[in-house]
């Protein structure tokens, strides 16, 4: 197994899960952007033979520090790509952040590796490319995100039904992605005008990185997840629903055409979907506390407010426009979120930057890798320019 | 397809479902105890060639009324058994009430028919007998009860995992059966002392027959369902949990050892699990309104109060004692519920009659059909005698 992004939030939790089952997993490669202190610890703790460091200066430093330890250091983005196709690896966990996940995911797929995917941008920007590559190579892409993991767990039965029933189509009416609604659920546009990054970073139920926590507060995160779901499960946008569920106990649901709904529930703990993705199709007992529904608060569900949380509407719009538009949405959002975190723009302007950038873009249908990466770069420039001229 | 008990609540709804899919089902036999007016209508509406009437006087009357119509009338309990093994039938829905379901279910199994089982007593009294017969004959027993249907729907995936993972055991930690708690959820023993049959019959979420509605109010219904689950899914009693869920939206859950929980949800409408059982493993769109979680009330869960609702504790005790004890529990309960409905005993005495009857019984382990039916008859006599001497 290889973990790309081992020093991030998901990567660290994945290594914890791997540590629970030493007989079951062997780590053959780890990659970080530039957190070489933690990488060094992880490499030593797990006896990992290959390590990649994307940042070249950090890679040089790491190579120097780890000399004589036997670990082979692969520098730069190329190193990450090499790890993704390492002959010894069967399973690649892609847990890097940002568009940097796309190339190694495609590399892992073309090398025939099973991919456990924790990187949103890969499917948001390159969904069509990635899933058609996975299909033609016969490779499984297993989601790590709690919502998509939930839907994957609910749907698994149907692959079987398909085989037994001889039907070619799963009779799913709707996929339902839940979201806590973030710290601002229920607030009006007026109330959101002056919220600070500190307030936006106080997520009620999940502990996550800063970027994704802001995306949860704007509901962009749900929007990106809708686009991911469209590709992971091959459903159309009208059949994907978002429900606000502040308690984060029900992570995803599948509604069937006969009126039955199957849901996956669990405590808000990423180690559950991480273990599911790494062990699929098996499940093994772990050290996590079981869900206690009787001790849980009531579970509530509400429709999202697409007017106030305009980012969700923009994401669905980008998804429907297709082609390079989701890549543009994602890149503009990344720039805008960074500007918000740095105190440069107000919370509600995140959506304005995204919308402004999208409105300047003519989507290229069925884009290749270069066109996706170009659209990403273009959108970042346009968004940055908008920021410097307007705020 | 044959429907045993076509004039009862489940039978009527099953015929409605069958009516939605005229190309898919062909009814070849219907059976009633003695509601021959409705049976006559049903036979005519669906063009059914065979009809059984268990009550002999009613059977004679039906035979006379339907002469010349071409329908063949099979009188008495033997007629029900004949329908269960009708050569033209692949699928037998057992929706008769009471212990009368046991013999035709065994007959259907030994004839190699798929059984859709809506009769609780069959598994409560004869679980071991029925499931071992089904296994040795390679016959599927698909539950119709909403709770067991829910668990069946949640577990389906695992049969596949078993095949793929090559493991012999499903890594299930717990099966969770939900129940609304009935009209008296949250009340104390003192408050229950003087409740009337009218109050007990006011079920908050489900429309059902009188006997099962009282069983819902005492929680005996959940107890019987725990025993059924033990046999249907081959799990031990400590791994079956009951949760009170007053909204009746989540019907059953499966907790896995890795911390994930899969649940089945739906509006409280028996036509969903009926269609599931009749069509399994397929699902086809129907006319039912989809579940609207955003429009639903909050969902809450609580542990049952086993002290106040002593029937549930008694059922689990009977299940653990095994052998003929669950048959005795069930028979004594039927007598006691009837006495309560007739105003002969107070609500809380239902449990007293059941407990008193159980305490007089030495369970016979691994009973055959005759021993089960004898225990049933014995328990009715003992319970009746207790009623006439004590109240």
């Amino acid at each position: 197994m290889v973990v790309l992004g081992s020093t991030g939030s998901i990567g660290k939790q994945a290594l914890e899960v791997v540590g629970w089952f030493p007989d079951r997993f062997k780590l053959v490669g780890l990659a970080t952007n530039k957190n070489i202190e933690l990488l060094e610890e992880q490499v030593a703790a797990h006896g990992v033979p290959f390590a990649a460091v994307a940042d070249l200066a950090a890679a040089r430093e790491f190579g120097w520090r780890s000399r004589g330890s036997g670990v082979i250091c692969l520098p730069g983005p190329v190193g990450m790509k090499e790890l993704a196709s390492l002959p010894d690896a069967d399973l690649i966990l892609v847990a890097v952040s940002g568009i940097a996940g796309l190339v190694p995911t495609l590399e892992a797929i073309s090398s025939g590796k099973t991919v456990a995917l924790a990187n949103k941008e890969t499917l948001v920007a390159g969904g069509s490319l990635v899933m058609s590559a996975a299909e033609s190579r016969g490779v499984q892409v297993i989601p790590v995100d709690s919502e998509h993991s939930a839907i994957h767990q609910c749907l698994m039965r149907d692959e079987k039904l398909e085989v037994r029933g001889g039907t070619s189509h799963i009779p799913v009416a709707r996929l339902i992605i839940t979201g806590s609604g973030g710290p601002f659920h229920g607030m009006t546009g007026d109330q959101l005008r002056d919220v600070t990054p500190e307030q936006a970073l106080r997520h009620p139920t999940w502990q996550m990185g800063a970027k994704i926590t802001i995306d949860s507060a704007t509901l962009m995160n749900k929007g990106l997840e809708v686009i991911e779901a469209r590709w992971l499960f091959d459903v159309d946008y009208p059949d994907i629903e978002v429900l606000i569920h502040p308690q984060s106990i029900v992570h995803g649901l599948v509604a069937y055409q006969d009126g039955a709904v199957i849901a996956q529930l669990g405590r808000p703990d990423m180690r559950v979907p991480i273990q599911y993705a790494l062990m699929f199709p098996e499940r093994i007992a772990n050290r996590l506390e079981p869900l206690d529904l009787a001790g849980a608060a009531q579970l509530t569900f509400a429709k999202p407010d697409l007017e106030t949380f305009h980012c969700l509407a923009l994401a669905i719009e980008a998804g429907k426009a297709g082609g390079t538009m989701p890549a543009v949405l994602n890149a503009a959002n990344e720039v805008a979120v960074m500007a918000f975190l740095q105190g440069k723009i107000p919370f509600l302007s995140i959506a304005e930057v995204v919308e402004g950038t999208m409105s300047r873009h003519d989507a290229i249908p069925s884009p290749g890798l270069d066109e996706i990466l170009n659209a990403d770069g273009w959108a970042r420039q346009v968004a940055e320019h908008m920021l410097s001229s307007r705020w």
Side-chain angles (χ1 to χ4, degrees), chain A:
Chain A
M1 173 181 171
V2 162
V3 179
L4 305 181
S6 63
T7 59
S9 168
I10 296 294
K12 285 190 281 188
Q13 292 180 79
L15 262 55
E16 189 188 345
V17 169
V18 164
W20 293 340
F21 307 100
D23 297 344
R24 178 137 188 133
F25 295 109
K26 176 151 181 50
L27 287 168
V28 293
L30 299 178
T32 185
N33 183 28
K34 54 184 178 183
N35 186 350
I36 55 172
E37 284 76 18
L38 182 53
L39 182 69
E40 209 176 355
E41 277 178 36
Q42 291 176 336
V43 161
H46 292 272
V48 184
F50 294 93
V53 181
D55 182 273
L56 286 172
R60 213 164 16 239
E61 165 85 7
F62 181 79
W64 183 81
R65 283 164 69 151
S66 61
R67 73 194 183 286
S69 71
V71 62
I72 295 163
C73 177
L74 306 167
V78 174
M80 188 102 60
K81 213 174 139 181
E82 277 182 72
L83 275 195
S85 55
L86 212 59
D88 272 1
D90 315 307
L91 173 64
I92 313 290
L93 171 59
V94 182
V96 300
S97 62
I99 193 78
L102 179 54
V103 170
T105 301
L106 286 169
E107 183 70 18
I109 289 170
S110 72
S111 310
K113 319 288 194 194
T114 301
V115 174
L117 190 59
N119 170 274
K120 285 200 155 57
E121 291 76 4
T122 295
L123 289 179
V124 170
S128 166
L129 205 60
V130 167
M131 294 312 287
S132 63
E135 194 178 358
S136 68
R137 194 67 172 78
V139 156
Q140 284 193 310
V141 176
I142 305 163
V144 172
D145 231 2
S146 61
E147 294 80 359
H148 303 97
S149 176
I151 290 173
H152 195 268
Q153 293 179 49
C154 294
L155 282 174
M156 271 314 300
R157 172 200 33 230
D158 294 302
E159 280 189 33
K160 177 183 191 184
L161 298 193
E162 229 174 299
V163 172
R164 285 172 46 163
T167 53
S168 62
H169 246 71
I170 298 166
V172 165
R174 280 169 305 146
L175 302 184
I176 305 170
I177 292 172
T178 62
S180 69
F184 304 143
H185 172 53
M187 283 170 71
T188 63
D190 267 358
Q191 292 171 308
L192 289 178
R193 212 164 294 282
D194 300 317
V195 294
T196 63
E198 289 68 38
Q199 291 171 309
L201 285 170
R202 263 179 237 135
H203 195 275
T205 51
W206 291 100
Q207 290 291 326
M208 303 175 292
K211 159 68 166 54
I212 187 174
T213 305
I214 303 302
D215 285 345
S216 292
T218 62
L219 294 197
M220 180 59 91
N221 193 39
K222 290 303 126 189
L224 299 177
E225 287 172 6
V226 167
I227 299 173
E228 286 183 273
R230 185 259 169 271
W231 294 113
L232 273 170
F233 306 115
D234 195 19
V235 284
D236 284 337
Y237 287 102
D239 298 335
I240 307 173
E241 190 180 335
V242 172
L243 271 186
I244 303 301
H245 167 52
Q247 299 82 22
S248 297
I249 298 288
V250 180
H251 303 304
L253 309 93
V254 174
Y256 292 90
Q257 291 177 359
D258 65 356
V261 175
I262 302 291
Q264 192 263 2
L265 293 76
R267 295 186 312 112
D269 188 324
M270 282 307 296
R271 293 171 297 182
V272 175
I274 289 170
Q275 181 181 325
Y276 175 79
L278 301 186
M279 291 210 170
F280 179 79
E282 285 187 67
R283 289 185 188 272
I284 297 183
N286 58 25
R287 310 172 178 198
L288 299 175
E289 244 180 273
L291 173 65
D292 174 20
L293 270 177
Q298 63 200 36
L299 307 182
T300 60
F301 301 88
K303 287 198 189 303
D305 174 356
L306 294 179
E307 301 262 321
T308 307
F309 297 90
H310 193 47
C311 283
L312 175 53
L314 289 172
I316 296 169
E317 191 187 314
K320 287 182 180 169
T324 45
M325 195 58 92
V328 166
L329 165 100
N330 173 68
N333 179 60
E334 221 169 292
V335 170
V337 168
M338 205 52 64
F340 169 69
L341 282 171
Q342 294 165 352
K344 290 183 192 161
I345 62 170
F347 184 76
L348 291 176
S349 295
I350 296 173
E352 291 176 51
V353 172
V354 173
E355 187 165 26
T357 309
M358 280 171 61
S359 73
R360 283 164 184 74
H361 184 66
D362 289 321
I364 302 167
S366 310
L369 179 59
D370 286 345
E371 287 165 315
I372 292 166
L373 296 177
N374 287 344
D376 174 89
W378 173 90
R380 280 168 210 275
Q381 285 185 327
V382 171
E384 292 285 6
H385 181 259
M386 207 181 302
L387 283 174
S388 61
S389 61
R390 265 213 256 165
W391 280 276

